């Protein structure tokens, strides 16, 4: 195999591709490049499905995936669906959430949309700046007579403060569920992540480290809830033929997606190993750089290490997060500003609740600091070293960088 072109690393700010130098990488490195397991096994399974002529409607692959994923995620019941967003919507509806639901703004927009889509108001809650997760201490002041639930998000796969959330939910008689889209394969206090709250919702989108092309699932220990979700995702069809017993929609997963899911599950430990090695390399190279905070995972728990997250504190660095993202993009390192802006700054929420930003100081700060770097099978140790060298260079020569950026900016205006 041809080794990817190794370019001598930049020695100087002036060498950066952003200022006209040649990019460190000849091809773009993406965040969230899909993991593909054993291709032969996948094609074999797809052939099986084609031979069976059973392509959807609770086929054998979907049933097998539900079984295996329930075991893996640690809940009694798993209902696989066509994507994570529909899984969220159906879970929210099956839980009978109404009125207002408390949710972090620091999440992917689907968490908020899944509520608003059903005319439930997402009440945005601030986050803990250390964990990036919903701040339990900010929840109680948001509770009104209309509040019916709390939807926590395990951001980066790091579990919410589940114990405190459970306590608050119990005290105020609220339903507690989790958007666990980031948390496939993670644990909390030694228990697999699908064991908490009324339900956990997962996304198997292609950009997640475990994917089914498009897909998602709800995992729950509540048998009645599981039954309700099964009806809802299949038009409300009960047992037998032509027997509609409930209002429903179409949230079914197809057999090809399930074939991908089974094949991904076969390799999931390998995917996590690669992510862990990448994480350790990034951590070693990026720890202790002034103004750059490296997000760590709790080694006493199971993690999937699928997100490499930095916080750029521009009071210490001479450049902003956005400037660093632009510099990295010029080098073909397609770093991303996850999640920017916060949900409360996107439509329709920005118009519905115009002053929410004042209530979310930590979210506002974090959305301006955070960035995510490429990992997974898209990178290897050498590439990570190169990426880190760029970051080390711009921090070390920050003053020169600032001067050059300011010079270019003043020329533009
Ligand atoms: C990916 C993601 C979703 C949406 O999942 P889809 O499968 O893309 O519909 C929801 N919430 C969070 C936090 C996500 O990261």
């Amino acid at each position: 195999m041809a080794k990817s072109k190794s370019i001598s690393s930049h020695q100087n700010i002036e060498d950066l591709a952003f200022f006209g130098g040649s990019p460190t990488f000849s091809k773009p490195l993406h965040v969230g490049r899909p993991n593909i397991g054993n291709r032969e096994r996948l094609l074999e399974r797809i052939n099986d499905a084609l031979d069976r002529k059973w392509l959807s409607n609770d086929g054998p692959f979907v049933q097998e995936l539900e079984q295996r994923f329930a075991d893996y995620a640690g809940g009694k019941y798993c209902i696989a669906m066509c994507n994570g967003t529909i899984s969220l919507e159906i879970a929210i509806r099956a839980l009978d959430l109404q009125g207002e639901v408390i949710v972090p703004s620091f999440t992917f927009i689907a968490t908020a949309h899944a509520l608003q889509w059903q005319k439930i108001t997402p009440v945005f809650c601030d986050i803990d700046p250390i964990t990036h997760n919903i701040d339990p201490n900010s929840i109680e002041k948001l509770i009104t007579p209309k509040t019916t639930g709390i939807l926590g998000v395990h951001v980066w796969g790091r579990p919410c403060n589940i114990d405190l959330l459970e306590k608050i939910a119990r005290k105020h008689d609220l339903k507690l569920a989790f958007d666990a889209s980031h948390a496939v394969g993670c644990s909390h206090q030694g228990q697999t992540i699908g064991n908490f709250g009324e339900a956990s919702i997962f996304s198997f989108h292609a950009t997640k480290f475990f994917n089914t092309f498009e897909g998602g699932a709800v995992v729950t220990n509540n048998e009645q809830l599981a039954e309700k979700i099964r009806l809802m995702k299949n038009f409300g069809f009960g047992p037998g033929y032509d027997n509609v017993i409930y209002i429903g929609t179409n949230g079914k997963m197809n057999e090809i997606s399930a074939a991908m899911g089974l094949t991904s599950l076969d390799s999931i430990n390998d995917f996590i190993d690669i992510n862990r090695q990448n994480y350790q390399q990034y951590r070693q190279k990026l720890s202790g750089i002034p103004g750059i905070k490296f997000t760590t995972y709790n080694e006493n728990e199971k993690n999937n290490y699928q997100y490499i997250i930095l916080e750029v504190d521009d009071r210490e660095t001479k450049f902003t997060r956005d400037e660093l993202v632009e510099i990295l993009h010029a080098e073909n390192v397609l770093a991303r500003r996850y999640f920017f802006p916060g949900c409360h700054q996107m439509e329709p929420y920005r118009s519905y609740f115009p002053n929410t930003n004042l209530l979310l100081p930590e979210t506002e700060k974090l959305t301006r600091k955070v960035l995510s770097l490429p990992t997974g099978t898209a990178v290897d140790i050498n590439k990570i070293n190169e990426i880190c060298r760029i970051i080390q260079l711009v921090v070390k020569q920050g003053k020169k960088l600032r001067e050059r950026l300011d010079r270019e900016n003043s020329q533009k205006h």
Side-chain angles (χ1 to χ4, degrees), residues 149-196:
I150 303 169
L151 183 55
V153 182
H154 304 306
V155 174
W156 319 136
R158 302 193 302 176
C160 295
N161 188 335
I162 294 174
D163 302 354
L164 254 182
L165 293 181
E166 279 175 344
K167 223 163 150 185
I168 295 167
R170 222 176 300 126
K171 180 171 160 200
H172 297 274
D173 197 20
L174 302 175
K175 295 204 167 123
L176 175 64
F178 294 102
D179 180 340
S181 294
H182 290 187
V184 171
C186 297
S187 72
H188 171 67
Q189 293 174 356
Q191 265 193 296
T192 39
I193 203 73
N195 270 297
F196 302 96

Side-chain angles (χ1 to χ4, degrees), residues 42-59:
L42 171 64
L43 294 175
E44 216 174 87
R45 284 187 167 114
I46 292 175
N47 268 325
D48 285 350
L50 296 177
D51 289 344
R52 263 196 298 270
K53 305 214 166 13
W54 192 349
L55 305 185
S56 189
N57 290 3
D58 208 21

Side-chain angles (χ1 to χ4, degrees), residues 135-379:
D135 175 13
N137 299 315
S138 300
I139 290 178
E140 284 192 298
K141 58 177 180 269
L142 301 174
I143 296 174
T144 75
K146 288 189 189 154
T147 311
T148 56
I150 303 169
L151 183 55
V153 182
H154 304 306
V155 174
W156 319 136
R158 302 193 302 176
C160 295
N161 188 335
I162 294 174
D163 302 354
L164 254 182
L165 293 181
E166 279 175 344
K167 223 163 150 185
I168 295 167
R170 222 176 300 126
K171 180 171 160 200
H172 297 274
D173 197 20
L174 302 175
K175 295 204 167 123
L176 175 64
F178 294 102
D179 180 340
S181 294
H182 290 187
V184 171
C186 297
S187 72
H188 171 67
Q189 293 174 356
Q191 265 193 296
T192 39
I193 203 73
N195 270 297
F196 302 96
E198 305 271 349
S200 298
I201 297 97
F202 295 89
S203 165
F204 306 150
H205 185 254
T207 53
K208 269 63 178 192
F209 90 102
F210 170 83
N211 89 84
T212 64
F213 301 117
E214 289 269 1
V218 179
V219 170
T220 178
N221 288 320
N222 179 334
E223 185 179 3
Q224 279 166 337
L225 183 69
E227 275 317 301
K228 209 164 156 189
I229 291 170
R230 280 197 184 288
L231 285 172
M232 284 183 165
K233 65 111 195 198
N234 187 29
F235 311 104
F237 275 117
Y241 289 100
D242 312 320
N243 180 30
V244 173
I245 58 173
Y246 208 81
I247 180 172
T249 183
N250 182 357
K252 298 191 299 292
M253 178 182 274
N254 69 65
E255 286 290 278
I256 305 300
S257 285
M260 183 65 166
L262 290 169
T263 311
S264 301
L265 263 187
D266 294 341
S267 295
I268 197 161
N269 290 331
D270 300 336
F271 299 158
I272 293 175
D273 280 347
I274 290 171
N275 287 345
R276 187 194 298 109
Q277 285 166 24
N278 290 345
Y279 164 76
Q280 283 164 347
Q281 188 68 12
Y282 271 120
R283 182 177 182 171
Q284 191 201 329
K285 296 282 170 185
L286 294 179
S287 293
I289 296 186
I292 304 281
K293 187 167 159 201
F294 186 82
T295 299
T296 56
Y297 295 96
N298 178 354
E299 296 297 334
N300 298 320
E301 301 286 353
K302 283 194 198 147
N303 304 291
N304 59 41
Y305 303 94
Q306 72 177 310
Y307 296 102
I308 301 294
I309 301 297
L310 304 184
E311 286 170 59
V312 178
D313 185 349
D314 59 20
R315 292 166 309 179
E316 273 196 68
T317 57
K318 297 281 188 279
F319 49 84
T320 64
R321 183 272 313 269
D322 289 355
E323 286 168 337
L324 179 57
V325 167
E326 281 188 55
I327 287 167
L328 289 170
H329 275 228
E331 304 293 343
N332 262 328
V333 180
L334 303 189
R336 296 282 312 272
R337 305 181 295 180
Y338 281 173
F339 302 101
F340 178 83
C343 295
H344 67 288
Q345 297 281 30
M346 297 199 194
E347 294 296 356
Y349 313 108
R350 187 168 58 186
S351 301
Y352 287 176
F353 324 112
N355 294 319
T356 311
N357 55 325
L358 302 175
L359 306 173
L360 304 173
E362 297 301 340
T363 306
E364 285 285 321
K365 273 189 251 169
L366 189 64
T367 54
R368 286 173 171 74
K369 286 202 259 190
V370 95
L371 73 85
S372 143
L373 292 172
T375 183
T377 43
V379 296

